[in-house]
Amino acid sequence: MDAFAEGTPCWVDVSLPDLEAGKRFYGELFGWTFGRARGMEDGHYTVAFSGGKRVAGLVAKRDGRMPTVWTIYFATPDADALSVRIREAGGQMVREPLAVGRFGVMALAADPAGAVFGLWQAGEDLGFEKTGLPGSFCWTEVYTRDKERVDPFYETVFGFRGRDLPGDDVDFRLWSPAGSEPGPGSAIGGRSVITDAFPAELPGHFLSYFSVDDCDETAETVVRLGGRVTAPPFDIDYGRMAGLLDNQGAYFAVLAEPKREPERAPEPAAGEESATGAESGAESGAAEGAAAAAEPAPEREAEQEST
């Protein structure tokens, strides 16, 4: 597996007062299994697996004053250099880059409005092994009251290319990686604005989403396990989502994408050639023609297509 491109969400973990209770909660909710915890000096850091693939981390809080929260990490090949860019763009470092054994280098930063996010410079540990499938991370977005400072911050630091969603109903910007065509097809995260509908004391923050098969059933399971539903299941353009709190107070969201029925090809009428056969013949002829046209003439050099 290749390393994640800089600015791509590559890992997510949750800091909890009770690590064992967190394992029971998320183990039943998402079907996660867990690896062997690291030592006390690492907060008994535990990796969660879905279908044998790495999907998240759980860590015991060392200090009760620390927030109970899910943290998203963005990939970088050089955490020190990225830390410099963060400061130059108006952010701050919450925790300076720190080597985590042979696994990699981590750091924590905050944007100009205070939303905290992580940095991960991969060593032996690249990050996610599974995303976008039930039981794994699928999306993240930052909530802010100061988009005028936050938008240029992320677009400067990570080179994100922004595209605002049309309409006046919601102020939301999609972010795509540097060098890509901005839009839903390439987006890796987004920015939403904290409006008056939110509590006045709510700070800027990131919200991470996990993919599930059934949003409503997941919300019911959260309540049964002692958590709370903060935003009951509702439909959006990309499926059905809900905002949730686990049984220790960590906020996250889930998304169930629409189920698509496989399309069936129409049956050919009697005596007619099937569409598939006709198309195959056309494609074969076109391929032969293209192959012939691609052969270089003796008097000119062949062009190589870069990949």
Side-chain angles (χ1 to χ4, degrees), residues 75-156:
T76 178
D78 190 334
D80 289 318
L82 183 55
S83 298
V84 172
R85 296 206 304 273
I86 286 170
R87 290 192 182 91
E88 291 176 344
Q92 59 181 318
M93 296 306 298
V94 177
R95 180 180 295 174
E96 296 292 340
L98 174 69
V100 186
R102 65 184 186 279
F103 302 104
V105 176
M106 66 85 62
L108 291 176
D111 69 23
V116 175
F117 58 95
L119 312 178
W120 182 250
Q121 178 183 325
E124 292 185 3
D125 181 354
L126 300 181
F128 293 127
E129 292 181 332
K130 175 181 178 180
T131 58
L133 298 172
S136 66
F137 168 87
C138 63
W139 182 255
T140 193
E141 58 202 26
V142 64
Y143 284 75
T144 186
R145 300 180 189 276
D146 193 352
K147 68 175 184 178
E148 286 75 16
R149 287 198 298 163
V150 165
D151 286 354
F153 170 80
Y154 289 102
E155 290 161 20
T156 297

Side-chain angles (χ1 to χ4, degrees), residues 1-12 71-78 82 85 105 117-122 125-132 137-141 154 157-161 175-180 185-190 206 208:
M1 180 179 177
D2 295 332
F4 289 85
E6 186 163 49
T8 303
C10 65
W11 192 243
V12 66
T71 300
I72 186 70
Y73 292 79
F74 294 98
T76 178
D78 190 334
L82 183 55
R85 296 206 304 273
V105 176
F117 58 95
L119 312 178
W120 182 250
Q121 178 183 325
D125 181 354
L126 300 181
F128 293 127
E129 292 181 332
K130 175 181 178 180
T131 58
F137 168 87
C138 63
W139 182 255
T140 193
E141 58 202 26
Y154 289 102
V157 167
F158 291 117
F160 289 161
R161 304 195 65 192
W175 276 324
S176 299
S180 66
S186 61
I188 48 84
F206 272 88
S208 290

